[in-house]
Amino acid sequence: MKFETKVIHAGIEPDPSTGAIMTPIFQTSTYVQDAPGKHKGYEYGRTQNPTRTALEASLAALESGIHGLAFASGMAAMDAVLKLLSPGDEIITTTDVYGGSYRLIVKQYEQYGIKAHFIDLRDRKLLQETINENTRLIWFETPTNPMLKILDIKQICQDTKKSQALICVDNTFASPHLQRPLELGADLVMHSATKYIAGHSDVILGALICKDPILEERLRFIQNASGAVPGPMDSFLTLRGIKTLSVRMDRACENAYQIATLISKQKAVRQVFYPGLKTAEGHSLAARQMSQFGAMMSFTLRDDNKRAANKILNRTKLFSLAESLGGVESLIGHPASMTHASIPKAKRAKAGISDSLIRLSVGIEHVDDLCEDLLHAIKG
Ligand SMILES: *Cc1c(COP(=O)(O)O)cnc(C)c1O
């Protein structure tokens, strides 16, 4: 089945009791049993919910996996993965990993004796020097945030095949419409479904997808034991969002390409970071690894300071100033004072996050209106 059909049909059955074509919102905490222990597969809402079950089946199909697990947030999904580790285990991740992921690893899990290495995973030699017999998890995103660097999923999987480490890709920025890490050798995919998958900026939800039944069983145990599950309403909203994932992504990617091309020609703009541009460092790898180049980009200004960035941030009308990404509406943000403010300035600068860096999450509005809005803001 093609992806565009999967988003509509995978995991979705008409409701057996009524024929309702949309999976109902099963707003219930418990289920009546015929006799003690004799039930229809549903006992208690933390453990199972039919709306969530439909969502989990859909997520598994979208990522070419077998098992899907839904969580109350992207961070709750990551937390479940980290709970697979024991004291003495080591993680390898990237220097520019999502801020919330960095915080969870360092502030929460280091105190339990789990050690993390933050490296540039594009450096194959450094990866070989860092990996050791204690490495249990390799965790990364591609494209990265906010510099849109591209990591070679297949290469990283091949280079670490001999180790016992689980390879988990945070596929939030690409979405399964553009990139499916399980097909490239990863063991596990994580999503902040809050972003492109749900797609309407109206829900917080996380997901894990894998193929291995033993890994699924361990994660399922944690999902139930810790209980960070999404409610039926949020599961429904995500299922509804998934139906339009392909058409939304197609439009957003098209818009993003046109916008990246346009702003790269502006005098006030120093550099545009968008993997779809031929001049981008990761362009050829992205062209191999992704079906399209995504709808996230960032750019710096010739006038490399916060004041110049603020002028643009204050002037856009269609691009709303907000954190998050992946919704139908376009957003604009300033990583140095928003998403990446907790990173010390020197460290930020080293990662390329200068004071004039502006990040865009391009939505699905008409591209002419988006271009006009940005041009007006950039030219003043
Ligand atoms: C938003 C985000 C997360 C965290 O997800 P939540 O749903 O906000 O908990 C993790 N990784 C990436 C890349 C994100 O953009």
Side-chain angles (χ1 to χ4, degrees):
M1 203 190 283
K2 299 265 197 264
F3 191 85
E4 290 76 0
T5 312
K6 280 187 189 174
V7 293
I8 313 288
H9 293 289
I12 312 292
E13 303 280 348
D15 175 46
S17 61
T18 61
I21 194 161
M22 268 309 285
T23 309
I25 304 161
F26 284 92
Q27 197 74 46
T28 188
S29 63
T30 192
Y31 308 85
V32 177
Q33 307 197 359
D34 297 333
K38 193 162 172 275
H39 53 75
K40 299 174 177 70
Y42 293 91
E43 301 160 82
Y44 184 62
R46 170 161 35 76
T47 321
Q48 314 102 342
N49 178 282
T51 318
R52 198 177 95 208
T53 303
L55 171 63
E56 291 181 331
S58 169
L59 291 165
L62 298 189
E63 281 291 357
S64 301
I66 296 172
H67 309 287
L69 297 97
F71 291 86
S73 69
M75 293 327 299
M78 182 185 196
D79 188 62
V81 178
L82 295 177
K83 281 179 172 145
L84 295 169
L85 305 178
S86 304
D89 288 352
E90 296 187 11
I91 304 169
I92 298 177
T93 185
T94 61
T95 40
D96 52 2
V97 68
Y98 174 74
S101 305
Y102 176 87
R103 182 174 57 199
L104 188 59
I105 293 172
V106 171
K107 299 267 163 99
Q108 200 64 44
Y109 281 89
E110 283 195 347
Q111 68 178 335
Y112 303 141
I114 289 157
K115 188 173 164 187
H117 302 269
F118 297 89
I119 66 169
D120 183 346
L121 274 175
R122 292 173 303 177
D123 187 339
R124 293 176 69 187
K125 192 162 155 268
L126 185 57
L127 173 57
Q128 287 313 321
E129 285 164 10
T130 313
I131 198 163
N132 64 51
E133 70 278 5
N134 296 323
T135 310
R136 289 291 179 278
L137 178 65
I138 297 171
W139 179 283
F140 60 94
E141 298 150 42
T142 178
T144 65
N145 176 29
M147 302 313 293
L148 286 302
K149 284 188 235 159
I150 307 293
L151 302 186
D152 193 332
I153 300 173
K154 210 174 192 173
Q155 181 83 261
I156 293 171
C157 293
Q158 279 169 3
D159 286 352
T160 57
K161 210 164 48 193
K162 282 201 211 88
S163 83
Q164 289 189 45
L166 203 65
I167 299 170
C168 184
V169 178
D170 176 344
N171 204 26
T172 301
F173 264 44
S175 92
H177 185 48
L178 308 186
Q179 168 177 289
R180 289 183 287 279
L182 296 180
E183 292 176 5
L184 301 168
D187 300 302
L188 191 57
V189 169
M190 173 269 190
H191 273 284
S192 170
T194 309
K195 317 294 168 51
Y196 288 108
I197 288 187
H200 294 73
S201 310
D202 54 6
V203 63
I204 299 282
L205 195 137
L208 295 175
I209 301 103
C210 68
K211 287 184 178 170
D212 177 17
I214 296 167
L215 179 58
E216 190 248 354
E217 199 183 313
R218 293 178 69 200
L219 291 168
R220 190 71 70 190
F221 175 84
I222 294 165
Q223 183 195 38
N224 181 49
S226 294
V229 292
M233 183 71 195
D234 287 349
S235 300
F236 171 86
L237 285 171
T238 307
L239 269 175
R240 166 192 258 235
I242 286 172
K243 304 242 179 211
T244 54
L245 177 61
S246 321
V247 288
R248 283 188 284 107
M249 286 310 291
D250 285 348
R251 168 68 87 87
C253 292
E254 245 172 65
N255 284 357
Y257 180 76
Q258 286 197 45
I259 288 170
T261 309
L262 179 79
I263 57 177
S264 61
K265 290 180 194 146
Q266 302 309 308
K267 258 217 228 87
V269 172
R270 183 190 296 267
Q271 195 177 354
V272 178
F273 302 92
Y274 179 65
L277 294 176
K278 288 211 169 59
T279 50
E281 191 207 301
H283 175 72
S284 58
L285 172 57
R288 263 183 285 135
Q289 183 165 275
M290 305 168 74
S291 63
Q292 294 172 78
F293 298 102
M296 294 299 298
M297 74 183 71
S298 55
F299 61 97
T300 50
L301 303 174
R302 279 199 199 285
D303 206 0
D304 188 19
N305 58 63
K306 198 174 161 183
R307 212 170 45 85
N310 268 338
K311 261 197 213 155
I312 294 175
L313 296 161
N314 292 333
R315 270 201 210 118
T316 56
K317 292 204 166 63
L318 288 174
F319 281 85
S320 304
L321 181 65
E323 295 198 359
S324 197
L325 60 118
V328 289
E329 60 281 293
S330 295
L331 300 180
I332 190 165
H334 187 242
S337 55
M338 294 167 72
T339 47
H340 294 67
S342 59
I343 304 170
K345 187 175 159 114
K347 240 179 154 180
R348 265 202 321 258
K350 222 177 135 202
I353 306 169
S354 70
D355 282 351
S356 74
L357 187 81
I358 290 173
R359 189 185 84 171
L360 301 178
S361 168
V362 177
I364 65 170
E365 300 93 334
H366 197 291
V367 71
D368 291 352
D369 292 326
L370 295 179
C371 287
E372 193 185 309
D373 194 39
L374 275 176
L375 279 189
H376 167 76
I378 292 171
K379 287 179 170 168

